[in-house]
Amino acid sequence: MKIFAPKETDPVETRASLDPAAVQKLVGLGAEVVVESGIGANCDHPDSAYSEAGATVTSDRAAALASADLVTRVRKPSLEEVGQLKSGAIHISFLDPFNEKDLIAKFASQGVSAISLEMIPRTTLAQKMDAISSQANLAGYVAVILAANRMSTIFPMMMTPAGTISPAKVFVLGIGVAGLQAIATAKRLGARVTAFDVRSEALEQAESLGAKALRIDLGETGGTDQGYAKELTPEQLAKQIAAQAKVCADSDVVITTAKVFGRKPPILIKADVVAGMKPGSLIVDLAAETGGNVEGIVPGEETVSANGVKLIGLANYEGQVAKHASQVLAANFANMIEHFWDKEVKTFAIKPDDEIQKGCLITHGGAIVHERFKS
Ligand code: NAD
């Protein structure tokens, strides 16, 4: 089986789907691995490191796409590049399947089996391939480091002969994988952290990391069987927004990570709340790329509000630590391929009835096979 990892083409993307360690693992399985020249340029892996790990390095992207049996990549491909794949090939990447109807249709008509990293089930067995978690964890870390870097104040309390410096107050909104890492990182730097999530178990997890949980009585909030939050009613959302305003006004840093699976993230911080925050305070919106949790955030940019609040709405936070983000992402790819590797014929076995594949295999055999995207 020929596995091809192309270089990412989106200018904001610094990660690579395979790193040399993953190449070595795949070669060990008996795969032939080809990578595009420059694939690791932004994560400190020169082409030579890939060659030494056993990959062939090519500059002919089109030929490699056309001959690959399996393609690994970080970002979704263009329609044109799906058209270059051979029928029967397997394509594994983030796909944004809820918003990519045409792309899914193209995968199906091209006869390509498309696997969406976002759709890998949140089960114990699939944890080793859970790319959403491996990346969100690093994004949470980067959000705090970025905030610390942009502030005119420091995180820890310092008692010095010249006086006492108070610790930073950090508010983390959304305590999933990214939020938990943001809390842990901010605590390590000495901040006082408050956190909120609609899931009560997440509040307990935040407390176990030393954060203060903000408790807002929203009534029944519920969750999915995968542990995701359900969308709040407009009344619940209004109540939450009002209850958070005072915490935001009192915070030096607000980090928002709130997402609702398969939907646009909810707006949780309105412009009037930003207007009520202190000059020099800062909001980092981890949901910015998919619409954001904060009114007035410009996706992909850092701006300053009229009252001097820094608004950070970057895309791809984890891409700022590209080497480690690629290390864990590549491990997710390699673990998935290893999990489904048929040792007899040395290929990735498509098994539409397998519990994991049932969750993340979107197209196969010329059709859309995933229940949620069939109609
Ligand atoms: P996510 O990125 O989809 O959302 C981030 C957080 O936003 C979630 O905690 C969610 O509850 C929260 N949120 C949604 N609406 C909100 C609102 N209005 N206000 C405040 N917060 C809001 O979530 P995620 O980080 O991918 O994780 C979701 C859950 O899945 C977590 O419980 C996580 O521990 C669990 N998980 C399980 C596994 C596994 O079992 N293998 C793996 C990874 C994650």
Side-chain angles (χ1 to χ4, degrees):
M1 171 166 251
K2 189 176 188 177
I3 298 175
F4 175 51
K7 195 165 72 177
E8 297 298 312
T9 50
D10 188 320
V12 303
E13 193 50 79
T14 51
R15 294 169 291 172
S17 62
L18 295 183
D19 71 346
V23 167
Q24 205 168 11
K25 183 165 176 171
L26 297 174
V27 169
L29 292 176
E32 180 191 347
V33 182
V34 180
V35 300
E36 186 174 353
S37 176
I39 180 177
N42 293 315
C43 33
D44 301 324
H45 293 304
D47 284 354
S48 57
Y50 286 91
S51 313
E52 281 158 25
T56 304
V57 179
T58 182
S59 295
D60 193 344
R61 181 183 178 98
L65 282 171
S67 63
D69 301 303
L70 189 154
V71 174
T72 61
R73 57 185 291 167
V74 183
R75 300 236 161 193
K76 58 195 168 195
S78 63
L79 289 174
E80 191 197 348
E81 285 203 329
V82 177
Q84 290 174 292
L85 300 172
K86 65 182 181 192
S87 174
I90 301 166
H91 189 284
I92 314 176
S93 71
F94 286 108
L95 276 183
D96 193 15
F98 291 99
N99 297 307
E100 289 292 345
K101 217 174 149 187
D102 292 349
L103 185 61
I104 291 175
K106 180 72 182 166
F107 272 122
S109 64
Q110 191 71 16
V112 173
S113 303
I115 291 176
S116 160
L117 293 176
E118 294 93 333
M119 300 299 291
I120 291 172
R122 253 67 205 275
T123 59
T124 307
L125 188 61
Q127 232 167 354
K128 61 186 176 188
M129 18 182 139
D130 183 350
I132 287 272
S133 291
S134 74
Q135 303 304 294
N137 181 39
L138 292 173
Y141 166 86
V142 169
V144 174
I145 299 302
L146 203 61
N149 186 256
R150 298 291 189 274
M151 287 158 70
S152 57
T153 54
I154 63 169
F155 268 52
M157 181 169 90
M158 281 193 192
M159 294 170 86
T160 78
T164 300
I165 295 176
S166 311
K169 289 183 191 161
V170 176
F171 179 37
V172 176
L173 191 44
I175 318 170
V177 180
L180 285 170
Q181 187 55 253
I183 292 170
T185 306
K187 287 296 293 180
R188 276 183 216 123
L189 286 176
R192 269 192 211 142
V193 184
T194 303
F196 175 72
D197 198 294
V198 291
R199 295 179 300 112
S200 56
E201 67 271 26
L203 293 174
E204 283 156 29
Q205 289 165 359
E207 282 173 329
S208 74
L209 288 173
K212 182 176 165 223
L214 174 67
R215 295 192 190 271
I216 309 171
D217 184 7
L218 297 175
E220 177 58 41
T221 48
T224 69
D225 56 355
Q226 294 277 311
Y228 288 111
K230 286 210 172 126
E231 198 170 22
L232 297 182
T233 64
E235 293 74 29
Q236 285 174 316
L237 204 53
K239 196 169 176 188
Q240 178 188 346
I241 289 169
Q244 286 167 178
K246 198 170 164 299
V247 185
C248 291
D250 197 35
S251 296
D252 300 297
V253 178
V254 176
I255 295 174
T256 68
T257 76
K259 291 180 190 158
V260 178
F261 190 68
R263 294 181 187 277
K264 236 171 107 62
I267 292 281
L268 299 175
I269 300 195
K270 300 267 195 184
D272 62 328
V273 173
V274 177
M277 288 175 66
K278 296 178 282 192
S281 59
L282 186 151
I283 305 179
V284 186
D285 188 345
L286 254 62
E289 200 175 7
T290 48
N293 292 138
V294 184
E295 208 169 59
I297 278 270
V298 184
E301 289 192 21
E302 294 189 32
T303 55
V304 182
S305 74
N307 59 321
V309 178
K310 294 171 186 152
L311 303 171
I312 303 183
L314 298 186
N316 193 18
Y317 289 89
E318 56 272 30
Q320 303 219 358
V321 288
K323 187 172 186 176
H324 275 159
S326 301
Q327 176 189 319
V328 287
L329 182 61
N332 294 142
F333 274 108
N335 289 337
M336 177 180 237
I337 294 168
E338 184 184 39
H339 186 87
F340 292 110
W341 194 250
D342 183 329
K343 292 192 184 86
E344 297 280 301
V345 283
K346 295 195 179 353
T347 55
F348 184 106
I350 292 287
K351 298 175 178 169
D353 292 331
D354 171 90
E355 274 312 307
I356 296 174
Q357 289 197 20
K358 220 187 273 177
C360 60
L361 180 67
I362 312 295
T363 60
H364 179 57
I368 298 172
V369 293
H370 197 288
E371 285 303 327
R372 287 188 74 165
F373 304 105
K374 267 185 186 169
S375 50

